[in-house]
Amino acid sequence: MSVVEQYARAHIVTDADLVEEEQTAVPVVLRYDPEDDPRTVRVGLPGTHEWTIARALLEQGLRAPAGSGEVRVWPCGRVQAIVEFHSSQGVSVVQFESKTLLRFLRSTYTATAQPVPN
């Protein structure tokens, strides 16, 4: 089994007035390490913050609102998904293209697929 790491771009959603360059997509790292915990994925936001999410929650949230507590995921229109992170510092709302998250999830399942014995 191998580690899956995918770099993506996402938008931080905020109600603050942002200058134009702050409205552009930010780099995000999606990471899956089946040896660490095969049930979770990690989302690395700009800076040093990394969130651990249940892989099943991310998958469910692409179809319908899912989650409670620290992480919530839901579809946003036909081509986007929202991941909302809650912490003692506040709430971060991140908007992804759904196809990016789907591609990443497919890669995680491929990485954990066991070879078929001959």
Side-chain angles (χ1 to χ4, degrees), residues 47-59:
T48 59
H49 199 81
E50 185 174 79
W51 290 86
T52 301
I53 305 173
R55 185 166 61 159
L57 170 66
L58 186 58
E59 187 174 1

Side-chain angles (χ1 to χ4, degrees), residues 114-118:
Q114 298 297 317
V116 177
N118 293 332

Side-chain angles (χ1 to χ4, degrees), residues 24-37:
T24 60
V26 297
V28 176
V29 178
L30 304 170
R31 183 175 170 79
Y32 174 71
D33 186 349
E35 302 219 355
D36 182 35
D37 183 352

Side-chain angles (χ1 to χ4, degrees), residues 26-84:
V26 297
V28 176
V29 178
L30 304 170
R31 183 175 170 79
Y32 174 71
D33 186 349
E35 302 219 355
D36 182 35
D37 183 352
R39 297 166 300 183
T40 65
V41 296
R42 294 177 184 260
V43 178
L45 298 176
T48 59
H49 199 81
E50 185 174 79
W51 290 86
T52 301
I53 305 173
R55 185 166 61 159
L57 170 66
L58 186 58
E59 187 174 1
Q60 292 166 0
L62 292 174
R63 294 187 304 270
S68 61
E70 291 185 347
V71 180
R72 297 176 184 142
V73 183
W74 66 91
C76 179
R78 300 178 117 187
V79 297
Q80 297 175 330
I82 301 291
V83 182
E84 186 177 272

